[in-house]
Each structure stands twice: as structure tokens, then as C-alpha cells.
Amino acid sequence: MVVRPVIAGMKDPPALQRALVDAQYLADDALATAAYLALALGKPLLLEGAPGVGKTEAAKALGGVLGRQVIRLQCFEGIDAGAALYEWNYPRQMLAIRQAGEDYVNLYAEDFLLERPLLQALRNPKDTLLLIDEIDRADHEFEAFLLEFLSDFTISIPETGTVRATQAPVVVLTSNRTRDLHEALRRRCVYHWIDYPDPALEARIVMTRAGTVARATAESVVASVGLLRAEPLAKPPGVAETVEWAEAATLLNAQGARWPEAFRRSIGVAIKDHDDMAYLSDRLSTILPGEAA
Ligand SMILES: Nc1ncnc2c1ncn2[C@@H]1O[C@H](COP(=O)(O)OP(=O)(O)OP(=O)(O)O)[C@@H](O)[C@H]1O
Ligand SMILES: [Mg+2]
């Protein structure tokens, strides 16, 4: 099989995994393998998982490792092709018409074109990584449109012509799985479900991402967050919450708060929902990290 130039220098999944560590992203074997295969096969990588497990960050880290600029298309309810592809700058067109007086103005010149993420990526496929973030927020119609885009990497601009990518861009899609994605879209991608990291990995992530946090603090916070995730919470803490809770408690501790009081006082960094707090209130002391550092 031909290994594509896009992963030159990363001969196998462990090599990609090591490169990601250098970019401060700690991927487990399964994620590194899925990402490697997506790159090697020239297919989009589809990452699904709960909020805060590191989907968006994985795409950014991949961009860093590949030396590519990450172009992000943030999906939302009601997003349409205009927001994703290109728009014409009407105010600027109007101004040009007014300034031109009797003279001819080409209203569809490059100057008036507002490139949106898909067009940007298509025009620079060698230097960019296209991140289509939270695709589950978009509606089915937009998903069908994306499927077409991912099939032929062509955009037709009626006023100026067709733009075709000289090569397939690197594409990462993420979804929080608030709804099922279309079968055809999944089939086009290499799929990976990102789970919460196991405790050892999450403690390493905390040590990597937080400023200065003692190992014992990182480990206690990870254990507590694990207990919180086992509760039926509306908003279970993600990895970012684990990192920030360790940092926040360390800060309060440095200012004199004792353990586990430092964790209790900084709980708002980990639990961000009023009903969840109310639900936890009488049992919080059994869940809070114990002695740390
Ligand atoms: N494997 C990891 N290595 C290093 N940092 C990580 C890892 N996973 C998560 N993080 C940290 O957690 C933060 C949140 O991750 P991210 O925003 O990518 O989550 P997400 O899955 O995209 O969440 P959402 O669904 O809410 O968008 C990151 O900014 C990073 O600090
Ligand atoms: Mg995200």
C-alpha cells in the first residue's frame, strides 16, 4: 500500500502517538491507530464521544503534528451552504457600484468573495486540516450536502465557475452524538469513539495540561471525577474539568485552604449545573478527593 505524503515521517500508529504527545495530546492506542489509518487511506476521520473527551483538541493536535493550519467549520442548527462555502460581500458590492458611477464593475471578482471554511480548505488542500466540528448540530439536509462535498471535493460557484481540490484535504469530523449520523456519511469515514480516558491516562493528561499540580493531586482528582461520571448527572465533567479542578484546588491550597476543603470550594470548576449540585450536595463529602499532595 502507498503511504501518502501526508504522514511522511510517521511510519506507524505509535510514531503518530509520540508526535501527538509532543503536541501535548495524549491519545490512546485505538485513537492513534484510527487517526493514522484515516491519514494513510486518505479518508476523513469521524470522532464521536461525550462532551469534553478531547475530540476538538485531537483535531487541533493532528493539525499541529502535520504542520497544517486547522480550518474549523463549527456546525449549528440551521447552518447552510452559504455559511460553510462562500458568500458575496453585498455591502462591498454596493459601495463599488456607487463609487464606479457609470463605469463597469465586475461584482463577482475575487475581492467580493468571502471564503468560508470549506472553500478555504479546498483552495489550500496541502496546507490545511479541515475540522467539521459538532456535525450532529446541523440538520440532515446539511449533512447530505457535506456528504457530497466529501465525495468529490468540488464546489460550484455559479457566478465564477467550479473549484476543485488538487488533492483530498485532511478532514476530521466530530459529533457529540446528540443524534445519529447518516449511514452514508459514516461509511465514507474512519470511525472512532473517544471514551473518557482510563485513570492513569487522565492523570497524565492533567500533569501535561495543568500548570503545576502535584501527582497526588492529579490522581485524587481523577479518582473523584470518575465517581462523578458514574452518577446520573446532566453534565458530567469532561477532561477539561478534571484539568481545571486540579489547577483550581492547587491554587486555593497554595493560599492556605486545606484538603479536601480546597476541592469543595473549587467544585464549580467541575460541576456546572445547578440540579447536579443539588443532587450531589448531601453525598459530596464521600466523592471529593481526599488528602492530596
Ligand atoms: N487526550 C488528551 N490529551 C491532552 N489534553 C486533552 C485530552 N483530552 C482532552 N484534553 C483536554 O480537554 C480539553 C477539552 O477537550 P475538547 O474541547 O477537545 O473536548 P470535546 O470532546 O471537543 O468537547 P465538546 O464535545 O464539548 O466540544 C482540551 O482543551 C484539553 O485541555
Ligand atoms: Mg469540541
Side-chain angles (χ1 to χ4, degrees):
M1 189 186 72
V2 184
V3 173
R4 307 212 168 197
V6 96
I7 47 168
M10 275 163 270
K11 64 178 191 337
D12 54 15
L16 178 59
Q17 197 176 24
R18 284 192 296 275
L20 286 169
V21 170
D22 291 340
Q24 299 220 316
Y25 190 87
L26 279 53
D28 61 15
D29 293 347
L31 173 55
T33 304
Y36 174 86
L37 288 176
L39 294 171
L41 302 175
K43 290 182 136 210
L45 174 65
L46 171 56
L47 300 175
E48 266 193 334
V53 289
K55 302 180 295 294
T56 303
E57 200 67 20
K60 290 183 180 167
L62 267 180
V65 159
L66 299 171
R68 285 166 176 256
Q69 185 201 347
V70 175
I71 296 181
R72 179 179 187 182
L73 174 66
Q74 171 65 55
C75 298
F76 53 87
E77 210 183 316
I79 187 174
D80 60 6
L85 292 174
Y86 68 90
E87 282 161 304
W88 291 108
N89 190 337
Y90 291 122
R92 209 151 160 200
Q93 285 174 323
M94 299 304 285
L95 192 68
I97 292 172
R98 230 177 290 137
Q99 283 173 346
E102 302 282 291
D103 295 341
Y104 169 78
V105 190
N106 175 10
L107 291 176
Y108 299 110
E110 190 67 28
D111 276 359
F112 301 114
L113 186 68
L114 296 171
E115 283 186 344
R116 298 302 181 215
L118 298 187
L119 181 56
Q120 274 174 30
L122 213 61
R123 283 183 161 176
N124 307 291
K126 285 197 201 86
D127 307 316
T128 54
L129 180 151
L130 175 62
L131 165 58
I132 301 173
D133 217 6
E134 305 188 359
I135 184 180
D136 52 327
R137 290 187 181 209
D139 52 33
H140 293 281
E141 208 175 53
F142 186 74
E143 205 180 308
F145 157 78
L146 263 184
L147 180 66
E148 209 179 299
F149 173 81
L150 293 174
S151 309
D152 53 15
F153 292 112
T154 302
I155 291 175
S156 159
I157 305 179
E159 297 87 356
T160 62
T162 298
V163 183
R164 192 175 315 257
T166 48
Q167 63 181 69
V170 174
V171 182
V172 179
L173 300 108
T174 79
S175 163
N176 282 354
R177 211 182 180 201
T178 53
R179 65 171 178 80
D180 264 344
L181 300 180
H182 203 283
E183 197 52 40
L185 186 71
R186 294 173 176 281
R187 230 179 293 131
R188 186 151 295 281
C189 303
V190 174
Y191 175 82
H192 180 70
W193 172 263
I194 303 192
D195 227 328
Y196 291 118
D198 66 38
L201 180 60
E202 191 160 10
R204 277 179 58 213
I205 294 173
V206 172
M207 302 297 291
T208 305
R209 289 275 168 165
T212 36
V213 167
R215 176 172 295 276
T217 308
E219 284 168 358
S220 330
V221 167
V222 166
S224 287
V225 165
L227 295 175
L228 287 172
R229 286 178 191 150
E231 299 286 342
L233 302 180
K235 303 228 175 338
V239 178
E241 281 70 32
T242 316
V243 173
E244 283 168 15
W245 199 13
E247 273 184 318
T250 299
L251 179 68
L252 294 183
N253 177 251
Q255 294 167 359
R258 291 171 178 273
W259 310 112
E261 196 47 32
F263 292 118
R264 184 187 293 278
R265 280 175 51 197
S266 52
I267 186 76
V269 171
I271 299 294
K272 298 173 181 172
D273 181 275
H274 180 64
D275 291 339
D276 287 348
M277 269 314 287
Y279 171 80
L280 289 167
S281 61
D282 52 341
R283 276 166 316 131
L284 200 56
S285 49
T286 61
I287 291 175
L288 281 181
E291 288 297 311

